[in-house]
Amino acid sequence: MIANAYKSLLNELDAGKKAVMVTIMNDKGNDRNVSPEKILLTEENLRVYTSIDKLDTLIYQKAQYALETGNIQFIKEQDTITYLIEPYFPEPRLIVLGGGHIAKPLVELGARVGFLVTVIDDRPSFANKERFPDAEKVICESFEKCFNLFHINKSAYVVIVTRGHRHDMDCLRKALKYHAAYIGMIGSKRRVKSVKEQLLSEGYSQEQLNKVNAPIGLDIGAVTPDEIAISIIAQVISYRRLANTLSGSAASPKINWPELDRTVLEELSKGENDPKAVVTVASTKGSVPRKAGAKMLVWPYGKTLGSIGGGCSEGEIIHIARDVIRDGGHRVHSIDMTGEVAEEEGMVCGGVMEVLIESCDK
Amino acid sequence: MIANAYKSLLNELDAGKKAVMVTIMNDKGNDRNVSPEKILLTEENLRVYTSIDKLDTLIYQKAQYALETGNIQFIKEQDTITYLIEPYFPEPRLIVLGGGHIAKPLVELGARVGFLVTVIDDRPSFANKERFPDAEKVICESFEKCFNLFHINKSAYVVIVTRGHRHDMDCLRKALKYHAAYIGMIGSKRRVKSVKEQLLSEGYSQEQLNKVNAPIGLDIGAVTPDEIAISIIAQVISYRRLANTLSGSAASPKINWPELDRTVLEELSKGENDPKAVVTVASTKGSVPRKAGAKMLVWPYGKTLGSIGGGCSEGEIIHIARDVIRDGGHRVHSIDMTGEVAEEEGMVCGGVMEVLIESCDK
């Protein structure tokens, strides 16, 4: 049941964890009509190699690579087996502690670059949806109690910008208990130094404190709230996009965050017994509207969910998807995007997408 | 005539140059009613020390320091002479060559952090006010001819993000003829290397090319247009705010851009013969609504232009300004901002402003 694999996947993502879905398509004797198999590998599965049913070492290693880099791999082996190795990364969450003059532009910028934003303040006039229309969650609660109302996990980027140093320090103490992707705290060099000394004396380790970006943000000489928000979000982006980033150092390889179509995954996890096809962008080259990992569901009578980029190419794929629903199995199809479409978007050149279309009953 | 001094000041600013206005207030025998004198020092004046009428070496050096750091200085000497040394910096201008998918968020962010933005594209569908509502100027012209339609001077930050590498290179050739505050050009490392080699072979110097930020933007692993725009504007801010910045390196001292109230300066440059008072924030401490350099004009019957921050403090100052208009000369007044006002803005503590009120007939 592929629904179970997607259910497990969503559980991992909700816990802030990455995972890799391996799809195995066996084309024995040119029979493309065998349904693909799905195996979900969690971070725990991938930490140490253990012999897992049906996966040889090579595929296992490629899954580890996918987890690390975010790169989808589409592998055709000896014309009989095709593997799609898809890393899934949880949506990055920006937790903004404090709703003051820096939080205002920061929340807006964070939402804009794809973070689900939670903002917390203990003053009702600062913690409300009118002030933060782009936030997913606005929480009005004391900084003492609020940590029970959201989760800090490895997909959380925590920004501490309350109105007072005492609140900042309280929030930092709490945040250090979790393994966040990023922690930053505002404050002058002098103030930050004394906070760190205080926490060291309380038993926090130097290693823990080294992970705290304080003074927060890239050092661009920011003065105004807007500039400070830009310096913070730029640093948060560097933590998201670059592997092994510590305080924004930049010579590390880029992580390729795959597209994540949660509504499609949720639909697949339901396991409803209606014939449909899953369309996945398996590889791309050049300028394309959506990256590898983008997903769309197609039902026999033309209903769709999600998108692989719209336009005529999508119509073509929906056509093929109907054949796949009827015949079962899978197809691979290449789409050549015209340069013209891209030009309209201000891009230089078109690109090519390779698309996998799988039948899927439940 | 102080109007002439302000007229000269505006000329300097319009040419993209900084300048320093020195105000000399002589309180001979406790007579505060002598009108202050104004001497404008241009960048050229300040480059090499030459004996300038009425200014001793110390004041001259302080003016040089003001030009370099942006710090206003308010000096009371032996209870008889007071000097206000005010640096003026031209408004920073962001010139965005290319109106595509990166220009869209970049123009918005640039305007937001205080740049006057000009955007240029040769395609009418990309160069229009609807697409760039925050731009001061949108120019629809070929990249070849457009350089006659705006000025690149030391207050210009030039971003080259056209839709094609050939256009980018053409723009770079032109931009290199001027002394911009910043030049950045988009492109991959490989592409940028070949452009630089090409320009070297055409006779451009290595020194010139070293000043070009290419690949453009801070290296934060930016992927999406919004992220790329953030990486670019963060780099532009670092060039504006940090002294001696080359490619965003950050250990340099911060430049303190003074407030610039152009409408007030324009009014003062007219030299109209109506009694009024000029109010200047001469120094600040802690969180205050406007920084040193902020200016407001007050006429006898309550009309004002500009602002030193609003609120009750302004009412108090307007009251004193009327006395100054009546009596001539100048006053210095301290304003203690309450912590409460600041709290409403999400700031931690109030601050203190020292305000100079000068009478001014023409």
Side-chain angles (χ1 to χ4, degrees):
Chain A
M1 277 264 294
I2 72 159
N4 284 340
Y6 282 108
K7 222 177 277 172
S8 304
L9 170 60
L10 287 171
N11 284 341
E12 295 299 309
L13 293 176
D14 288 343
K17 290 180 183 168
K18 301 176 181 177
V20 178
M21 186 78 86
V22 179
T23 304
I24 307 166
M25 290 154 277
N26 208 325
D27 301 342
K28 283 177 213 136
N30 218 10
D31 176 8
R32 296 189 305 186
N33 300 341
V34 176
S35 274
E37 244 181 295
K38 304 264 177 197
I39 297 174
L40 184 74
L41 299 173
T42 65
E43 287 186 33
E44 283 73 26
N45 290 154
L46 287 167
R47 197 158 294 148
V48 205
Y49 175 74
T50 48
S51 149
I52 288 174
D53 198 21
K54 289 174 197 155
L55 287 186
D56 64 22
T57 323
L58 181 76
I59 296 302
Y60 192 87
Q61 282 167 351
K62 285 189 186 289
Q64 285 179 319
Y65 173 80
L67 191 82
E68 212 174 284
T69 60
N71 289 319
I72 293 193
Q73 290 152 86
F74 193 45
I75 303 160
K76 288 157 224 162
E77 246 182 30
Q78 304 147 7
D79 289 333
T80 57
I81 306 189
T82 305
Y83 292 98
L84 179 67
I85 300 176
E86 281 175 289
Y88 284 92
F89 289 11
E91 298 94 336
R93 297 184 166 268
L94 186 66
I95 315 271
V96 183
L97 291 147
H101 58 311
I102 290 165
K104 188 92 174 63
L106 180 64
V107 168
E108 196 195 315
L109 289 172
R112 195 164 170 162
V113 294
F115 287 80
L116 297 175
V117 187
T118 299
V119 55
I120 302 101
D121 204 290
D122 55 354
R123 298 163 294 176
S125 59
F126 287 87
N128 60 72
K129 260 287 187 186
E130 287 66 46
R131 185 167 166 84
F132 297 107
D134 304 318
E136 197 212 13
K137 256 195 218 169
V138 182
I139 298 175
C140 188
E141 181 54 89
S142 72
F143 294 112
E144 181 68 25
K145 290 183 194 157
C146 70
F147 280 77
N148 301 319
L149 301 175
F150 52 84
H151 294 291
I152 298 185
N153 54 35
K154 281 163 69 185
S155 67
Y157 299 73
V158 180
V159 170
I160 304 175
V161 286
T162 78
R163 68 182 174 288
H165 304 295
R166 209 168 37 78
H167 289 310
D168 285 341
M169 188 148 74
D170 288 345
C171 287
L172 182 57
R173 279 197 195 91
K174 291 249 158 88
L176 282 173
K177 292 186 185 157
Y178 306 89
H179 292 283
Y182 169 93
I183 300 180
M185 185 183 71
I186 203 153
S188 65
K189 271 183 193 157
R190 196 171 49 83
R191 176 73 65 169
V192 159
K193 192 165 166 262
S194 86
V195 166
K196 286 190 173 178
E197 280 163 4
Q198 168 70 24
L199 292 188
L200 273 175
S201 78
E202 292 176 16
Y204 291 85
S205 72
Q206 188 63 54
E207 200 199 338
Q208 278 179 300
L209 295 173
N210 286 345
K211 285 182 187 155
V212 179
N213 292 275
I216 199 172
L218 297 185
D219 193 358
I220 57 172
V223 173
T224 65
D226 279 322
E227 291 176 351
I228 294 169
I230 285 170
S231 78
I232 295 172
I233 202 68
Q235 188 171 54
V236 166
I237 291 169
S238 75
Y239 269 74
R240 178 183 178 193
R241 296 288 187 193
L242 300 174
N244 316 316
T245 301
L246 191 61
S247 58
S249 110
S252 44
K254 210 180 265 194
I255 298 171
N256 187 21
W257 280 60
E259 302 256 7
L260 181 68
D261 292 324
R262 188 173 265 271
T263 52
V264 171
L265 301 182
E266 280 163 357
E267 184 64 34
L268 285 167
S269 74
K270 286 183 194 165
E272 288 186 16
N273 196 9
D274 55 342
K276 55 187 173 289
V278 197
V279 181
T280 305
V281 177
S283 74
T284 70
K285 220 174 148 178
S287 293
V288 289
R290 297 205 66 197
K291 288 198 309 169
K295 271 189 160 50
M296 176 171 75
L297 286 182
V298 180
W299 281 266
Y301 297 105
K303 188 184 135 191
T304 62
L305 181 69
S307 164
I308 56 161
C312 355
S313 52
E314 222 167 76
E316 198 182 329
I317 291 297
I318 290 171
H319 204 81
I320 300 171
R322 287 182 190 161
D323 292 349
V324 172
I325 296 169
R326 189 192 57 217
D327 302 340
H330 72 279
R331 302 274 189 295
V332 177
H333 189 76
S334 264
I335 304 174
D336 205 333
M337 317 293 292
T338 67
E340 204 140 334
V341 174
E343 172 85 354
E344 261 312 292
E345 300 299 310
M347 290 172 178
V348 189
C349 49
V352 178
M353 304 203 300
E354 210 172 12
V355 166
L356 171 68
I357 306 136
E358 307 163 64
S359 82
C360 149
D361 280 337
K362 47 180 112 176
Chain B
M1 279 266 293
I2 71 158
N4 284 339
Y6 283 108
K7 223 177 278 174
S8 305
L9 170 59
L10 288 172
N11 285 340
E12 295 299 309
L13 293 176
D14 288 342
K17 290 178 184 169
K18 301 174 181 178
V20 178
M21 186 78 86
V22 180
T23 305
I24 307 166
M25 290 153 277
N26 209 326
D27 301 341
K28 282 175 212 136
N30 217 8
D31 176 8
R32 296 189 302 186
N33 301 342
V34 176
S35 274
E37 243 179 297
K38 304 262 178 199
I39 297 174
L40 183 75
L41 299 173
T42 65
E43 287 185 32
E44 283 73 26
N45 290 155
L46 288 167
R47 197 157 293 148
V48 205
Y49 175 75
T50 49
S51 150
I52 288 173
D53 198 21
K54 288 175 198 155
L55 286 187
D56 63 23
T57 322
L58 182 76
I59 295 303
Y60 191 87
Q61 282 167 351
K62 285 188 187 289
Q64 285 177 319
Y65 173 79
L67 192 81
E68 211 173 285
T69 61
N71 289 319
I72 294 193
Q73 289 152 88
F74 193 46
I75 303 159
K76 289 156 221 164
E77 244 183 30
Q78 303 147 9
D79 290 333
T80 59
I81 305 190
T82 306
Y83 292 98
L84 179 68
I85 300 176
E86 280 176 288
Y88 285 92
F89 289 10
E91 299 93 336
R93 296 183 169 269
L94 185 67
I95 316 270
V96 182
L97 291 147
H101 58 310
I102 290 166
K104 188 90 174 66
L106 180 64
V107 167
E108 197 195 314
L109 289 171
R112 194 163 169 162
V113 294
F115 287 79
L116 298 175
V117 186
T118 300
V119 56
I120 303 101
D121 203 292
D122 54 354
R123 298 163 295 176
S125 60
F126 286 87
N128 61 72
K129 260 285 186 187
E130 286 66 44
R131 185 167 166 84
F132 297 108
D134 304 318
E136 197 211 13
K137 257 195 219 170
V138 182
I139 298 175
C140 188
E141 181 54 90
S142 72
F143 295 112
E144 180 69 25
K145 291 183 193 156
C146 71
F147 281 77
N148 300 320
L149 301 174
F150 52 84
H151 295 291
I152 297 185
N153 54 36
K154 281 163 68 184
S155 67
Y157 298 73
V158 181
V159 170
I160 304 175
V161 285
T162 78
R163 69 181 172 288
H165 304 294
R166 210 168 37 79
H167 289 310
D168 285 342
M169 188 148 73
D170 288 346
C171 287
L172 182 57
R173 280 197 194 91
K174 290 250 159 87
L176 282 172
K177 293 187 184 156
Y178 306 89
H179 291 284
Y182 169 92
I183 301 181
M185 185 183 72
I186 203 152
S188 66
K189 269 181 195 160
R190 196 172 48 85
R191 176 72 67 170
V192 160
K193 194 165 165 259
S194 86
V195 166
K196 287 190 173 176
E197 280 164 4
Q198 168 69 22
L199 292 188
L200 273 176
S201 78
E202 291 176 17
Y204 290 85
S205 72
Q206 188 63 54
E207 200 197 339
Q208 277 179 300
L209 295 173
N210 286 345
K211 284 180 188 156
V212 179
N213 292 276
I216 199 171
L218 298 185
D219 193 358
I220 57 171
V223 172
T224 65
D226 279 323
E227 290 177 352
I228 295 169
I230 286 170
S231 78
I232 295 172
I233 202 68
Q235 189 171 53
V236 166
I237 291 169
S238 75
Y239 268 75
R240 177 183 181 195
R241 295 289 187 192
L242 300 174
N244 316 315
T245 301
L246 191 60
S247 59
S249 110
S252 44
K254 209 180 264 195
I255 298 171
N256 187 20
W257 280 61
E259 302 254 7
L260 181 68
D261 291 323
R262 188 173 265 270
T263 52
V264 171
L265 301 182
E266 280 163 357
E267 184 65 34
L268 286 166
S269 74
K270 285 182 193 165
E272 287 185 16
N273 197 8
D274 55 344
K276 56 187 171 292
V278 197
V279 181
T280 305
V281 177
S283 74
T284 70
K285 220 174 148 177
S287 293
V288 289
R290 296 205 66 197
K291 289 198 310 169
K295 272 189 158 50
M296 176 171 75
L297 286 181
V298 181
W299 281 266
Y301 297 105
K303 187 185 134 190
T304 62
L305 181 68
S307 165
I308 55 161
C312 354
S313 52
E314 220 167 78
E316 197 182 331
I317 292 298
I318 290 172
H319 203 83
I320 301 170
R322 286 182 189 161
D323 291 351
V324 172
I325 296 169
R326 189 192 57 216
D327 302 339
H330 72 279
R331 299 278 188 294
V332 177
H333 189 74
S334 264
I335 304 174
D336 206 332
M337 316 292 292
T338 67
E340 205 141 334
V341 174
E343 173 85 356
E344 260 314 292
E345 301 298 310
M347 289 171 179
V348 188
C349 50
V352 179
M353 304 202 299
E354 209 172 14
V355 166
L356 171 68
I357 306 135
E358 307 163 65
S359 83
C360 148
D361 281 337
K362 49 178 112 175

